[in-house]
């Protein structure tokens, strides 16, 4: 019988956790001078994962994690899988009536178990051997696969404390991979200020000029064939991974729908960044909020969509004050994260001129979503109507489409208003007066009158 991913992960991790327990027991025996079968903890042979189908085994084999790296990975997983396995570290130093400093560990707000730190990993792998401790520190460098690929990290509560005193945390995405075997879906909130967006529409429902369609198709081609270009064609030396595009033009012209359709047709998830939760007046908070998004998206192959992007990517100011300098530092931080992001980033704005030139130079595509012309507007009107709707005899859609310069989003609002009026009357006839009244209201939003 075929095993599910969860069953395969459980089998792999059960064997791995048993091994971690033996390694910890061996370290304790060696550290306290108790009788022990081994001279070094590295003599405790890890389970073989060569033929395993679990996601855990695949990742360990893919990165070729060695003894030390597997122990650190399992230590980060232990509080989530078998927290009692770490209870051995609660033993007290009778001489000082307190926990042993060398065990590390922190306490949680609701969790009663032992939460490991970098110091815990250093104790298990190195004890008091300084050279081996230095080797453990290297496992948490920015260039190591743990950090580079957002697998696990050391999280500081207070930055002025020793580096290894930071909490050892597995990231939510890899915890999800190692347990249920699927990608983690982050919850929208301060820790992840982005919402997944999708659409039930298709490309045929999007009214764009042929020129714009071709430009959008280039982004789709990159998603589908970019990996072949970089790797099979050997262009990785000269072309950076990732794709950056700017969508600009009036509201309601299809920028968000285009981003959603790109995700739908390429199988990528699209996340719209909520800039109201990202931008902060407090120094360092904006970068922190953005780092949370970029870190979680780093290896997910998501499309990141920044709507009304000029709030974050706007032109830099003259550095006349500390606030100006801080704002410019945020822009510099953004530039670096955008350049390094391996996925697709789309910025959307009403006015191209509002975007800082430093960002503009880094776009592979800058696509203008213009106001639809009369022919396109007529098509938008026709597509917006329900099959159940009947137009009043004196209504001339072609005349309305030619006379009023409206976007697709605005036309949908107008049809919604007229349809609700019809339902309220108890029929399905859209009246010309209701359409005109709604057009008048929509144009008034932009200070226009008819």
């Amino acid at each position: 019988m075929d095993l599910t991913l969860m069953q395969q992960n459980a089998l792999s991790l059960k064997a791995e956790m048993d091994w971690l327990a033996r390694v910890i027991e061996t370290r304790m025996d060696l550290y306290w001078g108790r009788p022990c079968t081994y001279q070094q903890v590295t003599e405790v042979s890890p389970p073989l994962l060569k033929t395993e189908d679990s996601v855990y085994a695949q990742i360990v084999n893919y990165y070729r994690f060695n003894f030390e790296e597997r122990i650190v990975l399992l230590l980060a997983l232990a509080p989530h899988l078998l927290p009692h396995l770490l209870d051995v570290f609660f033993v007290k130093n009778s001489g000082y009536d307190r926990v042993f400093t060398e065990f590390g560990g922190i306490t949680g707000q609701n969790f009663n178990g032992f939460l490991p730190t970098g110091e815990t990993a250093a104790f298990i792998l190195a004890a008091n051997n300084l050279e081996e401790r230095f080797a453990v520190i290297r496992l948490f460098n920015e260039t190591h696969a743990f950090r580079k690929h957002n697998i696990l990290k050391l999280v500081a509560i207070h930055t002025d404390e020793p580096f290894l005193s930071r909490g050892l945390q597995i990231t939510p995405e890899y915890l999800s991979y190692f347990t249920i075997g699927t990608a983690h879906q982050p919850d929208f909130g301060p820790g992840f200020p982005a919402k997944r967006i999708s659409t039930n529409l298709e490309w045929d429902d999007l009214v764009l000029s042929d020129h714009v369609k071709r430009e959008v198709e280039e982004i789709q081609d990159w998603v589908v064939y970019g990996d072949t270009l970089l790797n099979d064609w050997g262009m990785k030396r000269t072309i950076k991974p990732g794709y950056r595009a700017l969508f600009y033009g009036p509201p309601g012209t299809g920028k968000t729908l285009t981003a959603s359709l790109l995700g739908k047709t390429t199988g990528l998830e699209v996340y719209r960044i909520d800039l109201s939760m990202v931008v902060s007046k407090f120094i360092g908070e904006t970068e922190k909020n953005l780092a949370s998004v970029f870190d979680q998206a780093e290896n997910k192959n998501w499309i990141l969509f920044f709507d009304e992007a000029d709030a974050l990517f706007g032109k830099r100011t003259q550095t006349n004050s500390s606030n100006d300098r801080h704002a410019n530092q945020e822009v510099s931080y953004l530039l670096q994260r955008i350049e390094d992001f391996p996925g697709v980033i789309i910025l959307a704005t009403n006015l191209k001129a509002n975007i800082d030139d430093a960002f503009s130079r880094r776009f592979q595509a800058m696509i203008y979503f213009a106001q639809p012309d009369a022919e396109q507007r007529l098509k938008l009107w026709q597509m917006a109507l329900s099959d159940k709707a009947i137009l009043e005899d004196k209504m001339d859609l072609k005349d309305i489409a030619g006379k009023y310069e409206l976007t697709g989003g605005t036309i949908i609002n107008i049809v919604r208003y007229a349809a609700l009026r019809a339902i309220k009357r108890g029929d399905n006839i859209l009246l010309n007066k209701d359409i005109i009244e709604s057009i008048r209201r929509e144009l008034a939003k932009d200070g226009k009158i008819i």
Side-chain angles (χ1 to χ4, degrees), residues 20 27 44 212 240 250 263 286-287 313 363:
L20 174 64
R27 170 53 69 203
V44 185
V212 171
K240 297 192 73 169
T286 298
E287 291 96 323
F313 299 85
F363 293 127

Side-chain angles (χ1 to χ4, degrees), residues 195-206 254-266 268-272 383 412:
K195 289 182 179 178
R196 186 183 175 191
I197 59 174
S198 59
T199 180
N200 294 321
L201 300 178
E202 303 294 340
W203 286 113
D204 289 341
D205 299 308
L206 182 62
K255 298 186 290 292
T256 301
L257 178 56
T258 299
S260 299
L261 286 170
L262 279 170
K264 183 176 183 178
T265 54
T266 58
L268 303 184
E269 294 179 357
V270 183
Y271 280 86
R272 177 165 53 194
M383 291 170 55
I412 290 173

Side-chain angles (χ1 to χ4, degrees), residues 188-195 272-282 285-290 293 305-313 330:
F188 173 74
F192 186 73
K195 289 182 179 178
R272 177 165 53 194
I273 315 304
D274 187 337
L275 294 182
S276 68
M277 297 184 69
V278 169
V279 180
S280 173
K281 64 182 179 181
F282 298 109
E285 281 298 306
T286 298
E287 291 96 323
K288 179 181 176 183
N289 295 337
L290 282 168
V293 174
F305 181 66
F306 291 84
D307 200 6
E308 299 181 359
D310 34 328
L312 191 59
F313 299 85
E330 291 176 353

Side-chain angles (χ1 to χ4, degrees), residues 276-448:
S276 68
M277 297 184 69
V278 169
V279 180
S280 173
K281 64 182 179 181
F282 298 109
I283 292 178
E285 281 298 306
T286 298
E287 291 96 323
K288 179 181 176 183
N289 295 337
L290 282 168
S292 177
V293 174
F294 280 110
D295 287 349
Q296 294 192 57
E298 191 75 26
N299 301 295
K300 296 289 201 337
N301 210 18
W302 290 342
I303 295 175
L304 296 183
F305 181 66
F306 291 84
D307 200 6
E308 299 181 359
D310 34 328
L312 191 59
F313 299 85
K315 290 186 178 294
R316 282 176 280 190
T317 59
Q318 296 295 321
T319 55
N320 297 324
S321 68
S322 59
N323 287 338
D324 292 335
R325 287 191 293 273
H326 173 58
N328 292 345
Q329 288 172 8
E330 291 176 353
V331 173
S332 299
Y333 174 81
L334 270 171
L335 283 169
Q336 189 61 52
R337 291 309 301 254
I338 283 178
E339 288 232 61
D340 294 341
F341 186 67
V344 176
I345 291 179
I346 298 173
L347 274 59
T349 180
N350 296 340
L351 294 172
K352 174 186 171 184
N354 288 347
I355 299 297
D356 192 291
D357 292 338
F359 292 106
S360 299
R361 292 192 295 271
R362 287 162 173 80
F363 293 127
Q364 278 76 41
M366 300 177 70
I367 304 176
Y368 177 53
F369 288 72
Q371 286 271 10
D373 59 27
E375 183 180 344
Q376 291 172 330
R377 291 196 295 271
L378 178 58
K379 187 176 181 181
L380 287 167
W381 277 106
Q382 293 167 340
M383 291 170 55
L385 295 171
S386 166
D387 292 339
K388 290 188 176 181
I390 297 175
L391 299 181
E392 187 180 14
D393 290 340
K394 64 179 181 179
M395 188 185 301
D396 186 345
L397 268 190
K398 187 174 182 180
D399 179 65
I400 291 174
K403 186 181 294 185
Y404 302 107
E405 296 184 358
L406 304 168
T407 64
T410 303
I411 289 171
I412 290 173
N413 287 341
I414 293 166
V415 171
R416 181 192 295 118
Y417 171 80
L420 287 172
R421 298 285 291 180
I423 294 170
K424 186 175 182 179
R425 288 193 306 270
D427 59 47
N428 60 342
I429 300 173
L430 303 188
L431 300 181
N432 190 67
K433 68 174 185 178
D434 290 338
I435 293 290
I436 299 303
E437 171 60 25
S438 187
I439 290 174
R440 181 179 290 109
R441 288 171 23 159
E442 290 295 324
L443 290 176
K445 293 178 182 178
D446 295 324
K448 301 176 183 177

